[in-house]
Amino acid sequence: DAGITQSPRHKVTETGTPVTLRCHQTENHRYMYWYRQDPGHGLRLIHYSYGVKDTDKGEVSDGYSVSRSKTEDFLLTLESATSSQTSVYFCAISGRGGDTQYFGPGTRLTVL
Amino acid sequence: GQQVMQIPQYQHVQEGEDFTTYCNSSTTLSNIQWYKQRPGGHPVFLIQLVKSGEVKKQKRLTFQFGEAKKNSSLHITATQTTDVGTYFCTYGGSQGNLIFGKGTKLSVKP
């Protein structure tokens, strides 16, 4: 597997609290992505990055923000978590846009 | 937005039976990728198809890309319990991301 880690792997939090998920890669890949996976919806893109400090919104970006200050780290922040953000979050990396993507192990987030 | 449709959504087979999942798009695709996700796991890249009519094999798995590059299929011969999981077809979106179908969940009864 590609060198991608996600932290934390599991988190339970309460509605209204801020949450930050971290994705770390050791592959020096330019592109990094955050997806969420929910039953019946497959994987949906939240935000992505095409370089340090270069990010853009995906299909389901409302309620989420991201930052990428270093090539290896891509952070996903829920400013004020809601129950609808309960999901499994996957980070992915690729060398080029649209190219093969390598996924991290995922973070299971529960918002009570 | 543009999506690929995968059918069936679920498939239950007896071990040793064959399995096929289909991926259909309303528009021509430049390429298609297939991923497998084991229960509790993360998506793992299987293969990429680029050429019209392309057929690729990986042991018991056969992948096809349609002549019009609007559909694709994954066929597994003589399923095994290790084939259990969800199979996704994907294609490159305009943002450099991958757009995923909703997947076909395969269960195999020993």
Side-chain angles (χ1 to χ4, degrees), chain B residues 27-97:
Chain B
T27 59
T28 301
L29 304 173
S30 59
N31 66 74
I32 201 158
Q33 299 180 28
W34 286 90
Y35 288 75
K36 176 185 178 181
Q37 184 177 19
R38 294 181 186 274
H42 58 276
V44 174
F45 173 76
L46 293 177
I47 208 158
Q48 176 171 278
L49 304 172
V50 180
K51 299 177 182 177
S52 169
E54 189 169 16
V55 178
K56 288 188 177 180
K57 293 189 176 184
Q58 289 179 350
K59 296 183 181 178
R60 295 178 295 103
L61 277 61
T62 302
F63 303 85
Q64 292 188 319
F65 202 9
E67 294 289 341
K69 300 182 75 173
K70 288 185 177 183
N71 54 70
S72 181
S73 65
L74 158 59
H75 179 83
I76 302 178
T77 303
T79 55
Q80 300 175 359
T81 54
T82 54
D83 296 324
V84 165
T86 301
Y87 294 85
F88 293 98
C89 64
T90 77
Y91 68 96
S94 60
Q95 297 172 300
N97 60 308

Side-chain angles (χ1 to χ4, degrees), chain A residues 1-4 24-30 71-72 93 95 102:
Chain A
D1 285 344
I4 313 168
H24 179 78
Q25 60 144 331
T26 58
E27 305 297 321
N28 201 36
H29 279 353
R30 179 181 173 192
T71 298
E72 56 267 34
I93 64 174
Y102 301 94

Side-chain angles (χ1 to χ4, degrees), chain A residues 1 14 17 19 21 41 45 47 51-52 54 81 84 99 102 112:
Chain A
D1 285 344
E14 294 189 349
T17 60
V19 176
L21 309 183
H41 289 278
L45 181 70
H47 281 279
V52 174
D54 292 323
S84 64
D99 208 349
Y102 301 94
L112 302 176

Side-chain angles (χ1 to χ4, degrees), chain A residues 1 31 33 35 37 40-43 45 48 56-59 90 94 96-105, chain B residues 3 9 31 33 35 37 40-45 48 88 91-103:
Chain A
D1 285 344
Y31 285 78
Y33 309 83
Y35 293 90
Q37 185 172 37
H41 289 278
L43 285 101
L45 181 70
Y48 72 104
D56 205 349
K57 296 179 180 180
E59 177 187 358
F90 286 101
S94 70
R96 294 181 305 176
D99 208 349
T100 301
Q101 291 188 9
Y102 301 94
F103 286 79
Chain B
Q3 276 195 328
Q9 189 174 359
N31 66 74
Q33 299 180 28
Y35 288 75
Q37 184 177 19
H42 58 276
V44 174
F45 173 76
Q48 176 171 278
F88 293 98
Y91 68 96
S94 60
Q95 297 172 300
N97 60 308
L98 288 178
I99 298 177
F100 281 74
K102 293 187 178 180

